Amino acid sequence: MSADFEEKDSRAVLRFRALFDAQPFCVAHISDQGIILDINQTGCDLLGYAREELIGEPMSRMVREKDAAESHDRFERLLRGEDLPSYQDVLVTKTGLELPMEITTTATVSARGEVVIQSIGRDLRDELETQKKLLAATRLFDVLMRSTVDLIVVKDQHGRFTRVNQAFLDITGRTESEVIGRTNIDLLGQEHGSVVAIEERQVLDQGVTVRSESTYMIAGNEVVLQFTKTPIRDETDEIIGLVGIARDISDERAVAQQIVDAQKMDAVGSLAGGVAHDFADYLTNIIGNLSTAQSKLAEGEDAAENIHAAYDAAEAASELTNRLLHLARDGSSARDAVDLAQIIHDLRSLLHTTFDKSLHVRIRVSPDLWPIDADASQIKNMIMHLCLNARDALRERHAQPEAVMDGTPWLEIAAENIELRPEFEANNHSHNRHGEFVKLTISDNGGGMTAEVKAQIFEPFFSTKGSSSRSGLGLSMVYAAVANHGGWIRVESEPGLGTDFIVFLPRGSADVVDDSAVSEQPTESEMKPDLTVLIIEDKEQIRAYYERVLVGEGYEVFSAGGGAAGWEILEAHGADIDLILLDLLMPEMSGKHFLEMMVQNDVSIPVLVCTGYPGDLARRELEHLGVADFLGKPFTPNRLRAKVRAVIDKHR
């Protein structure tokens, strides 16, 4: 029986020793005299001693000399029965290495009545190193937050601001206390804040990085910010918030717009000589035939042939005017469904009219070409710049006596629908898109470019034409216009073989609505004899022309030479007026001012704007002011009759 007990006791000791040594922390048993009674294998390995080297030694052997007094004081408190919280201390290894430790000590009484101190030490080296790195990263982040000129915001998973840098506070004019804990809706209002919140939900819910550009009104100034927002993840890869970095690009956008305007004027200037020449031809034809007709009529002869010839020349001049206006008109920055095929055909007529007649212009546009979502003005200017660039290349090659031209110098504008698949994307590093696109190619058989020139052509101010050339910004603005529309441009060129500029533009999301075509013939609806039109036009001859046409159709007509006079008539006879014919560009009170007054005074009479050029007013802005329809000058009497009838019928 005694042998069994001894065997069981021996097994218990072995189990205790195995558990004791298996502990991941340094565990030591110390007597009430401060002598090490036992230490586990983990402690021996950590301190670099064999167990026999420590057992029987004073505990002071493991602590630094300067910490001995404090260590003794803790020991005495334990012996007095006090509870000590965990504390950080330094243990010294056999080689003198100092180890930062978290130590927990307890005092127990053995079966023999002896007080035993159990000390458990946890190695803090990895934890402290991690804390050190975290502190360094935090300090680095703090420095970046303070020093960067970009705006930095940090938000939690609910979209609340948790941190912002000084640049953000400076540009918004707010204090940190006014921002932290708030949401986009709190700071930006319901309308704009909701839009930003929807964008940020993509980051927080889907874990994607979002890049965007937004315009804000801050302290009465329009500020354009370019944002990059990316998710913040914790150690389990869960999204816990987002960080946004924004750059104020207001000045860049303003400079870019100035460059666009300068380039537009540059392009128009290049066309001015050809346009002036053609207008001189048209006016010579008109004046000559009308002068001849006047003489014939005075002598009682038939002048119909001369009048028809003058009319045809006037029609040709009108067509050229419209093409120039479409090219020069400032479009709204809003994107609309645009018919690229129609733009190309309009430009073809202009190129035929203004380019050298020896240059053959070819057009190759696929039927049913997809629409694109675009600013039509930017697209027109982009194509015009590429055509001017091709023309210059052809002139340069054609002017060299030693050059052998491949037949007639030619310029080709081609457009087709194309679907790019992912495998195409993998082999083309100039873009990262696949899907449905409209492919626009502008080719010429000019002198071509070397690889060195081709690599630099989209750089601002780079030019191969010397100091007498244009600004050198044309192709850089072409590149910017294409990029702004979500597309990209590729150049293929070899010296002596010509050049292809290939533009890819994403397919539009809606079909083009053509509301410009109005029948030249009157509608079938019966004309009412009591319809009244108010004409507001500052040019007396044009005003008289409108009056003759409309009075001849049975309308009663009020006529005013400006906005102020028109408003007086409106106040006196508004109840009787069925339609207002309004010019936009007039002295004293402009057409826009007149429309604004109508809105302010809740006047609901339909307005037909008759203008050759709307100035800085976009079509959508005019529609917002209540304009029912538009009629571009010049126009025929039949077109005026049809448009007036259509607008009145629609609103009656």
Side-chain angles (χ1 to χ4, degrees):
M1 189 72 177
S2 176
D4 289 342
F5 178 79
E6 289 178 0
E7 183 180 352
K8 290 180 181 178
D9 185 56
S10 177
R11 287 200 299 269
V13 170
L14 291 174
R15 284 197 298 271
F16 170 78
R17 172 56 59 185
L19 290 171
F20 187 60
D21 286 338
Q23 293 299 309
F25 307 126
C26 171
V27 183
H29 291 164
I30 303 169
S31 73
D32 57 359
Q33 301 300 313
I35 303 301
I36 299 172
L37 301 174
D38 199 358
I39 186 168
N40 69 348
Q41 189 60 45
T42 302
C44 293
D45 294 341
L46 189 66
L47 297 172
Y49 291 99
R51 182 180 283 112
E52 293 75 17
E53 292 180 277
L54 290 175
I55 292 176
E57 295 293 323
M59 67 175 185
S60 58
R61 184 169 182 176
M62 296 188 298
V63 300
R64 296 180 300 187
E65 186 177 346
K66 64 179 181 179
D67 297 332
E70 187 176 0
S71 178
H72 180 74
D73 179 66
R74 292 195 191 98
F75 188 77
E76 292 294 326
R77 290 164 59 192
L78 280 169
L79 293 178
R80 291 196 299 268
E82 295 183 26
D83 291 330
L84 292 183
S86 298
Y87 61 91
Q88 288 190 15
D89 203 351
V90 175
L91 298 186
V92 181
T93 70
K94 184 177 181 179
T95 60
L97 179 67
E98 296 181 353
L99 303 180
M101 306 288 288
E102 181 185 61
I103 297 176
T104 304
T105 55
T106 56
T108 59
V109 180
S110 69
R112 292 192 295 269
E114 299 171 342
V115 176
V116 176
I117 306 298
Q118 178 172 268
S119 176
I120 301 174
R122 182 168 67 89
D123 187 355
L124 294 179
R125 283 178 295 178
D126 290 343
E127 183 177 313
L128 292 178
E129 183 64 25
T130 300
Q131 290 178 359
K132 182 179 178 182
K133 291 179 180 178
L134 180 61
L135 180 61
T138 302
R139 287 175 175 171
L140 177 60
F141 183 66
D142 289 340
V143 171
L144 291 174
M145 288 276 285
R146 289 194 302 270
S147 61
T148 182
V149 296
D150 291 338
L151 285 65
I152 301 178
V153 300
V154 181
K155 298 182 180 181
D156 63 18
Q157 63 268 39
H158 303 294
R160 294 186 293 254
F161 289 88
T162 59
R163 190 165 184 185
V164 296
N165 69 339
Q166 190 59 44
F168 178 90
L169 299 175
D170 290 342
I171 200 169
T172 59
R174 295 180 182 270
T175 63
E176 196 170 38
S177 61
E178 292 175 322
V179 176
I180 303 303
R182 305 291 183 87
T183 66
N184 291 310
I185 293 176
D186 295 331
L187 299 184
L188 302 175
Q190 182 67 37
E191 182 178 355
H192 202 162
S194 298
V195 173
V196 178
I198 291 172
E199 176 187 272
E200 292 182 351
R201 285 320 319 171
Q202 288 183 272
V203 181
L204 295 169
D205 296 341
Q206 302 173 26
V208 298
T209 295
V210 172
R211 293 175 176 82
S212 63
E213 185 177 304
S214 299
T215 302
Y216 302 89
M217 289 302 298
I218 300 176
N221 298 317
E222 189 176 89
V223 178
V224 184
L225 297 179
Q226 193 175 65
F227 266 101
T228 298
K229 298 175 183 177
T230 194
I232 303 173
R233 299 178 184 271
D234 63 12
E235 62 276 5
T236 65
D237 206 36
E238 289 293 319
I239 297 174
I240 58 173
L242 67 84
V243 59
I245 300 177
R247 175 160 295 177
D248 183 359
I249 58 171
S250 307
D251 292 341
E252 295 175 27
R253 285 289 176 265
V255 171
Q257 186 58 51
Q258 291 173 5
I259 293 173
V260 169
D261 293 341
Q263 288 297 309
K264 182 185 294 184
M265 294 305 298
D266 187 35
V268 172
S270 298
L271 300 172
V275 171
H277 176 271
D278 284 292
F279 265 115
D281 286 346
Y282 295 143
L283 290 173
T284 299
N285 197 344
I286 294 169
I287 294 171
N289 277 288
L290 289 179
S291 178
T292 302
Q294 188 177 35
S295 299
K296 287 184 176 181
L297 289 173
E299 297 173 2
E301 299 180 19
D302 183 10
E305 181 180 356
N306 298 102
I307 293 174
H308 284 307
Y311 183 83
D312 290 341
E315 283 283 307
S318 171
E319 183 181 352
L320 178 58
T321 300
N322 284 329
R323 288 198 297 270
L324 288 171
L325 288 175
H326 280 300
L327 178 65
R329 182 175 294 130
D330 289 328
S332 168
S333 59
R335 304 287 171 83
D336 295 308
V338 170
D339 184 355
L340 184 61
Q342 187 58 52
I343 289 177
I344 292 171
H345 287 299
D346 288 346
L347 286 174
R348 177 187 189 178
S349 302
L350 190 59
L351 295 177
H352 275 304
T353 303
T354 57
F355 277 16
D356 194 305
K357 299 302 184 287
S358 65
L359 193 161
H360 180 53
V361 179
R362 302 196 303 235
I363 300 295
R364 185 166 51 83
V365 177
S366 297
D368 302 321
L369 192 68
W370 292 327
I372 58 174
D373 292 332
D375 179 339
S377 177
Q378 285 192 35
I379 296 300
K380 290 171 188 173
N381 281 302
M382 179 266 291
I383 299 175
M384 196 67 215
H385 277 302
L386 290 175
C387 290
L388 288 170
N389 199 69
R391 181 202 64 183
D392 292 346
L394 290 166
R395 280 180 175 173
E396 184 178 352
R397 184 179 186 189
H398 196 58
Q400 297 174 0
E402 68 278 8
V404 179
M405 291 299 293
D406 227 359
T408 305
W410 55 261
L411 162 67
E412 181 179 85
I413 306 175
E416 61 181 324
N417 300 327
I418 186 171
E419 183 175 357
L420 302 182
R421 302 186 182 278
E423 55 267 25
F424 175 85
E425 173 187 337
N427 297 320
N428 289 267
H429 304 294
S430 60
H431 72 97
N432 57 356
R433 301 280 301 279
H434 59 271
E436 294 180 327
F437 294 86
V438 174
K439 178 183 176 184
L440 170 70
T441 305
I442 297 178
S443 308
D444 65 72
N445 65 337
M449 291 179 280
T450 64
E452 292 77 14
V453 170
K454 190 167 66 171
Q456 301 179 74
I457 56 172
F458 293 118
E459 295 178 5
F461 306 109
F462 175 77
S463 175
T464 61
K465 304 180 181 69
S467 59
S468 62
S469 69
R470 296 188 297 275
S471 67
L473 291 167
L475 288 178
S476 65
M477 295 313 302
V478 165
Y479 186 92
V482 174
N484 286 342
H485 286 81
W488 68 96
I489 185 168
R490 196 169 73 230
V491 183
E492 296 179 0
S493 183
E494 294 290 341
L497 298 180
T499 301
D500 295 340
F501 283 92
I502 306 169
V503 177
F504 295 88
L505 296 169
R507 178 180 181 175
S509 57
D511 292 330
V512 176
V513 178
D514 182 8
D515 60 356
S516 62
V518 176
S519 171
E520 293 268 334
Q521 302 301 321
T523 63
E524 295 182 359
S525 60
E526 183 179 356
M527 178 60 65
K528 303 297 182 182
D530 58 345
L531 296 178
T532 302
V533 177
L534 169 59
I535 299 170
I536 304 176
E537 165 64 60
D538 62 318
K539 303 291 192 306
E540 184 178 353
Q541 298 90 336
I542 297 176
R543 195 166 63 248
Y545 161 52
Y546 294 166
E547 290 177 10
R548 286 195 299 271
V549 173
L550 296 179
V551 169
E553 284 292 295
Y555 292 94
E556 183 178 350
V557 172
F558 290 110
S559 186
W567 190 257
E568 292 179 1
I569 296 174
L570 185 62
E571 288 182 318
H573 304 283
D576 301 322
I577 296 173
D578 299 282
L579 175 70
I580 298 173
L581 230 63
L582 179 67
D583 187 22
L584 286 180
L585 303 182
M586 298 183 293
E588 297 180 3
M589 182 188 289
S590 68
K592 179 186 177 184
H593 189 183
F594 188 90
L595 290 168
E596 289 170 343
M597 289 182 63
M598 289 183 65
V599 172
Q600 292 168 8
N601 290 274
D602 199 25
V603 178
S604 58
I605 300 172
V607 177
L608 173 60
V609 166
C610 298
T611 183
Y613 186 68
D616 59 354
L617 290 179
R619 184 183 182 102
R620 289 189 177 184
E621 183 178 358
L622 292 172
E623 289 173 346
H624 180 71
L625 291 172
V627 173
D629 214 331
F630 304 83
L631 189 56
K633 297 175 182 176
F635 45 80
T636 64
N638 279 344
R639 186 166 174 78
L640 175 60
R641 295 186 192 102
K643 182 69 84 169
V644 168
R645 177 82 63 88
V647 173
I648 290 179
D649 285 352
K650 178 180 178 181
H651 286 80
R652 285 174 66 89

